[in-house]
Amino acid sequence: MALLHRAKLHPTKLDLLAAWLPGRPWFRGTPGADAVRVAAYRFDDPAGEVGIETMLVTVGDGPVHQVPLTYRGAPLDGGDEWLVGTAEHSVLGRRWVYDACGDPVYAAALASAVLAGTGQAEEFIEIDGRLERREPSMTVTTSGSAHSEPPVVGAVRRVVQDDPTLIVTDAAELVVVRRLDGGSRPAGATLTGAWDGQPTPLPLAYARPV
C-alpha cells in the first residue's frame, strides 16, 4: 500500500525533472521546456520508509520518458550521483529525491514486481483522518509468476545509464526502459504498462535472477 498525503511540494517533482532530465544521456526532448506528467505508478517499500514512484513524463516535443524516483527523509548513503534534488513537503518536511535506478530499495521492489508478480502498490490518500483509495493513472502487469519467491536484493553493484538502463544487483539483473517507444525488448520476465492514450501495453522493465 502507498500512503499519500494531501500536501504541497516545493519545488514540485515536475520542476525538479525539468531541470534534471536534459543532463541524462538517454533524454530526448526540448531543454528548458516544462516537464508534463503523462501517468505514474508506485511500488511499496515493506519497511514503510521510502516512497517509490515511477513517473512517465514528456519534455517539449520529446517522447514519453520513464523516470523511477525514490523519496527519502534523509540522504541515501553513497547516493550523491543519483540525487535529482531536494524538496520541502508540507507534511513530511524535507525530502531527498533520487533517480531510483541507484537506490537498492527500488531495485528490490522492481525485482519483486517483475519476477514474483507483486505488481504495483494500491494508492490511498488520507482525508480528514480516513483513508480513501485513489484510482491509479496506469496499470502495470508482469509475465513473472505470482507464486515465485522474490529475490532478496541487498545491494546495487553497477548501473549502466543508457536506454535501457541496466541495474546489476547481488540477486538480479534489472533493465528499465527509459524512452517508451516500444523499441526495447531484452530477454527476461517483463513488466508492461498501459495508460490513457496508450491502451496497448508497452514494456517498462525486464528482470532475471543471477
Side-chain angles (χ1 to χ4, degrees):
M1 181 184 80
L3 177 60
L4 311 177
H5 300 273
R6 298 184 71 177
K8 293 182 179 180
L9 196 68
H10 181 77
T12 69
K13 290 177 279 189
L14 291 174
D15 287 342
L16 288 174
L17 291 179
W20 178 80
L21 278 170
R24 305 310 103 197
W26 38 265
F27 172 76
R28 300 291 183 271
T30 308
D34 291 339
V36 177
R37 182 183 185 274
V38 175
Y41 61 98
R42 289 178 177 262
F43 294 142
D44 181 48
D45 170 21
E49 295 294 327
V50 179
I52 309 171
E53 180 182 26
T54 297
M55 296 186 66
L56 308 189
V57 300
T58 58
V59 181
D61 59 1
V64 176
H65 292 82
Q66 179 176 213
V67 188
L69 299 171
T70 51
Y71 310 121
R72 289 175 167 266
L76 171 64
D77 187 29
D80 287 354
E81 69 175 298
W82 308 109
L83 185 66
V84 175
T86 60
E88 295 298 326
H89 191 286
S90 61
V91 174
L92 301 175
R94 176 161 293 186
R95 308 298 287 171
W96 281 258
V97 182
Y98 289 95
D99 173 0
C101 290
D103 193 322
V105 171
Y106 168 75
L110 179 61
S112 180
V114 181
L115 294 172
T118 55
Q120 69 195 105
E122 282 196 289
E123 299 179 15
F124 290 86
I125 188 166
E126 187 174 359
I127 300 176
D128 298 328
R130 66 183 187 278
L131 296 181
E132 294 189 5
R133 186 177 182 275
R134 187 173 79 168
E135 287 297 322
S137 57
M138 63 182 294
T139 302
V140 300
T141 56
T142 179
S143 65
S145 173
H147 303 291
S148 298
E149 192 71 22
V152 180
V153 174
V156 173
R157 303 296 190 197
R158 181 167 60 97
V159 179
V160 180
Q161 286 274 29
D162 205 340
D163 183 32
T165 292
L166 172 66
I167 307 169
V168 180
T169 78
D170 52 357
E173 287 192 355
L174 310 167
V175 174
V176 176
V177 181
R178 292 296 199 169
R179 298 190 299 272
L180 300 181
D181 54 12
S184 300
R185 294 192 178 277
T190 307
L191 187 76
T192 59
W195 58 92
D196 284 348
Q198 181 58 53
T200 302
L202 289 179
L204 302 173
Y206 302 83
R208 66 179 184 86
V210 295

